[in-house]
Amino acid sequence: MPAENSHCLNCHANHTYSFFNEWLEVETKRMMNPFYVLDSINYVAGVHGGFSCTDCHSPDYETYPHNAELKLEPLATCIDCHGGDDTYADYQFDKIEEEFQKSIHFQKSGESFTCSKCHDQHYYRATARTSSNVSEIVSYNNNMCLSCHDNALRFETMSSEESPKLSQVHDWLPNQKLHFDKVRCIECHTVVVDSFMVSHNILPKEEALRNCNDCHSSNSMLKASLYKYENLQARSEDGALGALITNEAYIIGANQNPLLKLLSFIIFGLAVIGIAIHWIFRIVKKSK
Amino acid sequence: MTAENNKIYLYPVWLRIWHGINAIGIILLILTGIRLQYSELSLMPMDFSLAVQLHNIFGIIVTVNYFIFFVGNLVTPNKKYYKIKPKGLVKRVTKQVNYYISGLFKGEESPFPISEKRKFNPLQKYAYIFVMYVFVPVAIVTGIALLFPELIIEQVYSVSGVFLTAILHGSVGFLISIFLLIHIYVASIGKNPLDNFRSIVNGYHDVHPSEKNKKS
C-alpha cells in the first residue's frame, strides 16, 4: 500500500483519532465513527489495494477537520474507470452494467443504486474468478447481499420500506442456513447467463427459482447417502431421542417425482369431483 | 345394556379412544406431510423444521396407537368385524357400491344395514382392512426406516434405498389422505349428516331411523 495512505489510516484504521485543535491550541482525542473505520488488511487484499486514498478521494482530505463540502464530492464508479477499457475486457464491465440496469435494484432505486452498494471499492476481490474454495466464494458473495438484506440500517438507506426478514421470506426452503452457506443467493435470484462469470440481473422475487429439483434431482443417490450420514451424525451428537425428533431429513420434499406429483394432483382432483357430484345428487334428492 | 330403544352399542370405549387419537394424529400427519412434501407451494405458513418435528412426534404417537388397535383386534370380540370372507366378496362389495351410486338416490334401503353382527358394510369392511392392515403398516414401517436410515438397504438395483423408501412413504401417505377424504364424506351419509360422527364419540348407533322417518 502506498506510504501516503498511512496518514489517512492513522485516523481511519483506528477507533480513536487525535488532532491538534487550533482554536483551543490543545491536542484532542476523540472516538472515530465506526462506519468510517477501514480494515487495512482487507484493503491491501482487494483489487485496488495498490491505490492511494487520494486516487479516488479528493486530496483536500489531507487536512483535518475535513472541509464539509467534500461530502458532496462525486466519486468515480466502476464504469468511470473500467468502462470501455480493453485491459479489463475479460470482466465484461459494460455488459455487466447493461445487465445490472435490468435488475430489480436498478429498476426500483435507479442511479442511486450504484455498483459500490455491492462492491465496496476498498475491499472488492474477484473471488468467483480467483478463489478455488467454493464455500469461500459463496460466503463472500452472499455477504454482499446480506450487508443490506440482513442489516436493517443499511437497507433503510436505500428504501423507505422495512426490510423483509430473510428467514421468513425463505420459510419454504428447508435447511435455510445450510442453503445460504452452500448456495449463492444469485443462483436463485438471477437468470444464469453462460457468457457471464457472474450474472447481475437480479429478478423480481416472483421470478426467483424455487424448484428443488433444479438442484436436487440429478443425483438423488448422493443426497440419500448424505441423509443417512447426517442423521447418524446428529444422533451421536445430540443423544438418541432429541435427534430422532428433530432430524433434518435430507430428502424431505426434495424426493418429488414430477410424474407422481402430477398423478397425485389428478387423483386428488378426481376424488374431490366425485364427492362433489355425489353430494349435489344427495342435496337434489333431499329437496325433492 | 346393548340396546335401548332402537340404539345399539357398537363402539366400545377402547376403540373410541383409539379412533380419537388416530383421527387427530393422522390429520396432523397429513397437514404437516403436505407442508413438507409440497414445500415450494408455500401452502401453509409453518416453519419447516417445526413441521418436521411435529410430523415425527405424531408419527410416533400414531405408531404406538396402532398397536392398541392391533392388539385390541386380537383379544376383543371386535376382531370378528375384520374377518375376510372370500366367498361372494366381489358380489357383496359391488352391491354396496351400486347402492352408493344409484340405490341411495332411488330411496332404496341399504343392502347391508348396520347391526351388532355387522358393524361395517362390505365396502367399508374391505376398505378398512386395506387401510389398517396394508397402508398404515407400510407408512409406519417406512416412517421408522426414515427415522433410522441405517436400517434401509443401501441400494435396490441402482436406485437408492432411502429414496425409494421416501417415495413409498409419501405415496402411501397420499393414499391414506384420499381414504380419509372419502371416509369422512361417506360418514356424512345418513339420516342426519352428523349421526355417524356422534356415534363414534358416544358409542351408540341408531338403528333404522331412516326407514321409520321416511314412511311418516
Side-chain angles (χ1 to χ4, degrees):
Chain A
M1 167 159 22
E4 63 267 25
N5 284 359
S6 61
H7 170 60
C8 311
L9 290 175
N10 268 340
C11 293
H12 283 286
N14 288 306
H15 291 283
T16 57
Y17 66 95
S18 50
F19 62 101
F20 188 72
N21 185 330
E22 285 174 0
W23 289 10
L24 306 177
E25 301 200 322
V26 283
E27 190 67 23
T28 311
K29 202 164 181 181
R30 297 245 171 99
M31 292 216 280
M32 179 56 102
N33 177 341
F35 299 108
Y36 292 168
V37 176
L38 295 199
D39 176 346
S40 54
I41 296 173
N42 241 336
Y43 181 92
V44 181
V47 288
H48 304 127
F51 277 49
S52 55
C53 311
T54 48
D55 286 342
C56 297
H57 295 283
S58 159
D60 294 345
Y61 274 109
E62 298 281 357
T63 50
Y64 190 86
H66 300 319
N67 181 346
E69 289 199 354
L70 287 175
K71 274 191 197 296
L72 312 179
E73 173 193 38
L75 287 159
T77 69
C78 319
I79 301 298
D80 291 336
C81 297
H82 291 286
D85 188 336
D86 287 340
T87 328
Y88 311 106
D90 207 18
Y91 288 92
Q92 298 179 287
F93 277 92
D94 301 290
K95 277 181 109 175
I96 286 181
E97 189 188 24
E98 249 171 62
E99 284 285 296
F100 168 67
Q101 286 175 350
K102 289 189 229 154
S103 81
I104 185 82
H105 288 129
F106 190 84
Q107 294 297 327
K108 286 211 180 165
S109 307
E111 300 283 351
S112 68
F113 208 111
T114 59
C115 312
S116 306
K117 295 294 173 192
C118 288
H119 295 278
D120 191 322
Q121 293 196 14
H122 303 127
Y123 309 128
Y124 175 60
R125 285 181 290 133
T127 52
R129 185 172 290 254
T130 54
S131 172
S132 57
N133 181 341
V134 174
S135 69
E136 186 196 348
I137 298 175
V138 171
S139 75
Y140 185 85
N141 277 231
N142 289 2
N143 281 336
M144 281 182 172
C145 315
L146 295 174
S147 73
C148 272
H149 287 288
D150 197 26
N151 182 337
L153 279 181
R154 197 152 179 254
F155 190 88
E156 264 177 36
T157 65
M158 294 309 303
S159 169
S160 49
E161 279 155 51
E162 209 170 301
S163 169
K165 263 199 99 48
L166 281 194
S167 54
Q168 276 165 20
V169 181
H170 299 95
D171 181 37
W172 50 273
L173 183 67
N175 264 314
Q176 248 184 56
K177 191 182 165 316
L178 189 84
H179 276 107
F180 286 0
D181 286 347
K182 302 267 180 171
V183 194
R184 295 188 297 180
C185 314
I186 53 175
E187 232 87 64
C188 295
H189 284 289
T190 63
V191 255
V192 176
V193 188
D194 282 345
S195 56
F196 279 117
M197 188 90 180
V198 181
S199 165
H200 272 72
N201 182 4
I202 312 254
L203 300 165
K205 63 182 173 218
E206 292 77 20
E207 290 166 48
L209 180 74
R210 62 159 84 225
N211 187 351
C212 323
N213 289 327
D214 285 353
C215 297
H216 282 287
S217 65
S218 52
N219 51 354
S220 58
M221 198 50 216
L222 169 76
K223 302 292 178 294
S225 64
L226 269 172
Y227 172 66
K228 217 160 175 173
Y229 172 77
E230 304 242 334
N231 209 330
L232 285 175
Q233 188 90 354
R235 215 177 304 153
S236 67
E237 280 165 14
D238 312 357
L241 210 73
L244 245 192
I245 290 174
T246 58
N247 75 330
E248 303 278 350
Y250 194 83
I251 39 172
I252 291 173
N255 63 1
Q256 288 193 357
N257 176 315
L259 203 73
L260 284 179
K261 187 170 165 183
L262 183 68
L263 200 66
S264 75
F265 287 151
I266 292 176
I267 296 178
F268 179 77
L270 288 178
V272 170
I273 292 172
I275 287 177
I277 292 177
H278 198 264
W279 196 29
I280 291 169
F281 270 102
R282 266 169 72 200
I283 294 173
V284 170
K285 151 109 205 309
K286 212 169 181 183
S287 61
K288 260 193 225 156
Chain B
M1 151 100 199
T2 40
E4 53 177 70
N5 300 338
N6 44 16
K7 282 178 183 230
I8 51 171
Y9 187 61
L10 268 191
Y11 310 108
V13 176
W14 73 267
L15 193 80
R16 280 180 277 146
I17 294 176
W18 164 78
H19 186 269
I21 298 176
N22 201 49
I24 294 168
I26 298 261
I27 287 171
L28 284 165
L29 282 172
I30 289 174
L31 291 178
T32 51
I34 290 172
R35 166 69 183 84
L36 298 175
Q37 181 74 11
Y38 299 109
S39 224
E40 81 281 11
L41 302 180
S42 314
L43 298 170
M44 271 165 257
M46 186 194 277
D47 187 59
F48 188 89
S49 53
L50 177 69
V52 173
Q53 287 185 29
L54 287 178
H55 199 80
N56 289 344
I57 291 169
F58 283 101
I60 292 168
I61 291 175
V62 166
T63 302
V64 172
N65 201 36
Y66 181 79
F67 283 95
I68 298 180
F69 171 86
F70 194 79
V71 173
N73 266 356
L74 279 182
V75 301
T76 71
N78 199 54
K79 64 167 164 265
K80 66 173 177 282
Y81 302 119
Y82 289 88
K83 277 228 175 71
I84 298 180
K85 296 178 193 120
K87 211 169 146 226
L89 187 155
V90 178
K91 215 165 132 201
R92 272 175 284 135
V93 171
T94 327
K95 207 163 163 192
Q96 182 69 26
V97 170
N98 280 337
Y99 169 69
Y100 277 140
I101 58 180
S102 86
L104 179 69
F105 303 113
K106 294 185 194 141
E108 283 172 16
E109 280 183 29
S110 165
F112 303 96
I114 296 181
S115 68
E116 259 168 281
K117 269 200 175 143
R118 185 171 47 224
K119 189 163 77 173
F120 305 141
N121 71 49
L123 181 62
Q124 207 180 1
K125 172 169 160 182
Y126 292 104
Y128 290 3
I129 290 178
F130 227 79
V131 168
M132 290 313 297
Y133 291 103
V134 181
F135 289 177
V136 171
V138 170
I140 288 177
V141 169
T142 51
I144 293 174
L146 287 171
L147 283 181
F148 298 94
E150 67 270 28
L151 300 176
I152 302 175
I153 310 167
E154 290 270 346
Q155 236 169 304
V156 182
Y157 296 100
S158 67
V159 185
S160 134
V162 175
F163 187 71
L164 281 183
T165 313
I167 293 262
L168 192 58
H169 188 76
S171 306
V172 88
F174 171 76
L175 292 176
I176 292 173
S177 316
I178 295 292
F179 164 79
L180 182 67
L181 198 68
I182 297 173
H183 183 52
I184 292 177
Y185 175 70
V186 173
S188 78
I189 300 180
K191 183 189 148 254
N192 182 315
L194 290 179
D195 275 352
N196 286 321
F197 296 98
R198 218 172 282 130
S199 305
I200 194 64
V201 175
N202 67 22
Y204 288 94
H205 184 86
D206 290 308
V207 185
H208 308 309
S210 54
E211 283 80 1
K212 280 188 186 156
N213 291 324
K214 214 173 286 157
K215 278 160 198 151
S216 61

